[in-house]
């Protein structure tokens, strides 16, 4: 299985959200934000009209999803052409079929192969889902070698091995705690929605601060200066923080990011365990053992390529996280810019709690 190391992150500087989009805009009666683990992925697609619920306001997340609906979702998500299509000649999908155009569009894009029948009402397995995502998004294996995911029920000679490796290494679909992938298990509505949302948002990006700059932040009452300190052999890069208003030093802040995860840690500071997988995808962040939500609140990555303006500077490729803290019923949004790091932290009203004022290039 994938080798994972714990990511430590302090509530003072949590990870983040981009456009403070109302994730609850398309909420369904049977999916609740703080209890449904795939809530953010389902609503990401619903907010973009890629998927919808039933007339009774429910989503029915555990119902199997039919191939005709999978085709429709892929066509919508990928904005595939729906005119001048070659007839796939499936015997069970005549041109009068209500989903003919969507199925034909997906077929013409190479997502479905030649066959006598399409079986539009049937569902698909997790293995076939991996193949679909691999084709639809032209996925590559993010990293091979010792840290590549391995599953006890997906041997190297399996016809779906490379497809499963591609979706796993891009954090689109991971396995189960017992080391299996369950390739033959049929896909539900919520699981396919989650895989599609993650495939649409997977991003390989660096959100560590640049050591060639000095960073200046404010929390409204104090101003802070971040200066690069050192880098340890384990890859943790430490920054020294100075409270310039109170003229005092704060314990060092450490950052680490490799191809699999990102970390923040304070020296001599009470911290929390948190695992943030990389490549980043829209999803809920789980505890270090990947079972259940983090035990100090719920955290979601809600955007991976947002645009955010802070102090008249527009940042692109912004990673956005939302952190709900149940002990005081508060929600905090944070924003990280590519190759820069934290740029802003705000509360649910939009009030800035912590923000980047400027960064200054160091002179040699």
């Amino acid at each position: 299985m994938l080798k994972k190391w714990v990511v430590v992150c302090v509530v003072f500087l949590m990870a983040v959200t981009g456009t403070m989009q109302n994730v609850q805009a398309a909420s369904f009666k049977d999916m609740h934000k703080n209890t449904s683990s795939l809530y953010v992925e389902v609503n990401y697609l619903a907010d973009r009209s890629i998927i919808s619920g039933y007339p009774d306001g429910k989503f029915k997340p555990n119902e199997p999803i039919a191939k005709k609906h999978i085709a429709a979702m892929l066509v919508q998500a990928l904005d595939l052409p729906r005119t001048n299509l070659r007839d796939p000649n499936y015997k069970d999908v005549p041109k009068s079929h209500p989903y003919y155009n969507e199925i034909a569009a997906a077929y013409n894009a190479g997502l479905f192969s030649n066959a006598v029948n399409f079986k539009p009402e049937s569902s698909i397995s997790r293995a076939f889902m991996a193949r679909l995502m691999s084709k639809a998004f032209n996925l590559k294996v993010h990293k091979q070698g010792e840290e590549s995911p391995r599953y006890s029920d997906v041997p190297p000679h399996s016809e779906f091995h490379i497809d499963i490796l591609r979706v796993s290494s891009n954090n689109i679909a991971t396995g189960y705690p017992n080391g299996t992938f369950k390739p033959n298990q049929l896909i539900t509505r919520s699981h396919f929605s989650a895989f599609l949302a993650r495939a649409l948002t997977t991003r390989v990006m660096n959100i560590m601060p640049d050591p060639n700059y000095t960073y200046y932040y404010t929390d409204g009452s104090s101003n802070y200066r971040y200066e690069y300190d050192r880098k340890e052999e384990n890859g943790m890069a430490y920054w020294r923080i100075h409270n310039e208003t109170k003229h005092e030093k704060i314990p060092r802040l450490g950052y680490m990011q490799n191809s699999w995860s990102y970390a923040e840690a304070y020296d001599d500071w009470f911290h929390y365990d948190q695992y943030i997988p990389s490549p980043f995808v829209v999803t809920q962040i789980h505890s270090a053992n990947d079972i259940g939500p983090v035990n100090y609140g719920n955290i979601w990555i809600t955007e991976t390529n947002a645009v955010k303006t802070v102090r008249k500077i527009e940042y692109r490729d912004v990673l956005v996280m939302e952190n709900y803290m149940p002990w005081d019923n508060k929600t905090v949004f944070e924003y990280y810019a590519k190759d820069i790091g934290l740029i802003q932290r705000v509360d649910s009203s939009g009030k800035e709690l912590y923000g980047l004022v400027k960064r200054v290039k160091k002179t040699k």
Side-chain angles (χ1 to χ4, degrees), residues 73-143:
M73 289 173 65
L74 288 169
V75 170
Q76 181 72 14
L78 298 169
D79 194 22
L80 296 178
R82 306 185 199 193
T83 57
N84 300 320
L85 300 173
R86 189 171 75 257
D87 189 350
N89 290 313
Y90 295 126
K91 286 188 175 180
D92 53 358
V93 186
K95 291 183 179 180
S96 58
H97 192 281
Y99 283 87
Y100 172 82
N101 282 342
E102 288 81 2
I103 292 170
Y107 169 82
N108 277 257
L111 303 183
F112 295 105
S113 56
N114 294 323
V116 175
N117 293 303
F118 182 75
K119 300 179 182 178
E121 302 300 329
S122 67
S123 188
I124 66 170
S125 67
R126 284 169 57 85
F128 190 72
M129 174 281 304
R131 176 156 296 173
L132 266 182
M133 294 300 168
S134 185
K135 288 181 179 180
F137 295 93
N138 192 27
L139 296 176
K140 309 298 181 186
V141 176
H142 180 54
K143 184 173 182 177

Side-chain angles (χ1 to χ4, degrees), residues 303-327:
E303 194 74 66
T304 59
N305 62 342
V307 178
K308 176 69 176 174
T309 300
V310 178
R311 291 178 174 82
K312 298 182 180 181
I313 298 177
E314 182 181 89
Y315 299 91
R316 294 183 174 271
D317 298 311
V318 174
L319 178 73
V320 182
M321 274 208 227
E322 179 178 342
N323 174 30
Y324 171 68
M325 295 170 283
W327 54 85

Side-chain angles (χ1 to χ4, degrees), residues 34-294:
N34 289 304
T35 57
S36 302
S37 62
L38 302 180
Y39 179 98
V40 68
E41 291 98 327
V42 169
N43 279 271
Y44 183 89
L45 297 184
D47 287 342
R48 289 156 180 78
S49 301
I50 294 173
I51 198 168
S52 59
Y54 290 85
D56 61 0
K58 294 181 178 180
F59 182 72
K60 300 183 181 179
N62 298 320
E63 292 288 319
I65 184 167
K67 282 180 70 178
K68 63 183 182 182
H69 293 138
I70 288 172
M73 289 173 65
L74 288 169
V75 170
Q76 181 72 14
L78 298 169
D79 194 22
L80 296 178
R82 306 185 199 193
T83 57
N84 300 320
L85 300 173
R86 189 171 75 257
D87 189 350
N89 290 313
Y90 295 126
K91 286 188 175 180
D92 53 358
V93 186
K95 291 183 179 180
S96 58
H97 192 281
Y99 283 87
Y100 172 82
N101 282 342
E102 288 81 2
I103 292 170
Y107 169 82
N108 277 257
L111 303 183
F112 295 105
S113 56
N114 294 323
V116 175
N117 293 303
F118 182 75
K119 300 179 182 178
E121 302 300 329
S122 67
S123 188
I124 66 170
S125 67
R126 284 169 57 85
F128 190 72
M129 174 281 304
R131 176 156 296 173
L132 266 182
M133 294 300 168
S134 185
K135 288 181 179 180
F137 295 93
N138 192 27
L139 296 176
K140 309 298 181 186
V141 176
H142 180 54
K143 184 173 182 177
Q144 298 189 49
E146 185 181 4
E147 294 186 350
S148 296
R150 296 179 177 87
Y151 303 107
S152 60
D153 54 354
V154 186
H157 62 265
S158 166
E159 65 170 310
F160 293 102
H161 176 263
I162 188 64
D163 298 304
I164 291 172
L165 184 58
R166 286 169 179 162
V167 295
S168 295
S169 68
N170 283 281
N171 290 318
I172 294 166
T174 54
Y176 291 84
N178 65 356
T180 63
F181 186 81
K182 299 184 180 179
N184 298 321
Q185 182 171 289
L186 295 181
I187 291 290
T188 63
R189 283 170 54 82
S190 61
H191 280 111
F192 185 79
S193 298
F195 299 145
L196 181 55
R198 293 170 194 164
L200 280 167
T201 60
T202 184
R203 296 277 291 171
V204 179
M205 60 188 291
N206 171 49
I207 58 171
M208 288 180 65
D210 189 336
N212 296 309
Y213 287 81
T214 299
Y215 289 70
Y216 295 87
Y217 291 89
T218 183
D219 63 5
S221 59
S222 293
N223 297 317
Y224 301 88
R225 184 177 82 254
Y226 283 48
E227 291 183 320
Y228 180 73
D229 189 357
R230 69 177 193 277
K231 189 172 184 178
E232 299 284 358
E233 290 183 1
N234 64 2
M236 183 70 78
Y238 283 102
W239 289 66
R240 177 64 67 180
I241 307 173
H242 302 266
N243 186 325
E244 296 191 315
T245 302
K246 297 181 179 179
H247 305 288
E248 61 185 20
K249 291 182 179 180
I250 299 175
R252 288 189 301 267
L253 175 64
Y255 296 94
M256 180 186 290
Q257 182 171 349
N258 63 14
S259 61
W260 284 105
S261 41
Y262 171 78
E264 290 182 5
Y266 272 96
D267 254 0
D268 306 318
W269 192 287
F270 184 73
H271 62 260
Y272 299 88
D273 292 342
Q274 179 182 337
Y275 176 72
I276 306 177
S278 177
F280 304 111
V281 297
V282 164
T283 192
Q284 182 172 5
I285 301 301
H286 291 80
S287 59
N289 61 6
D290 292 335
I291 302 174
V294 288

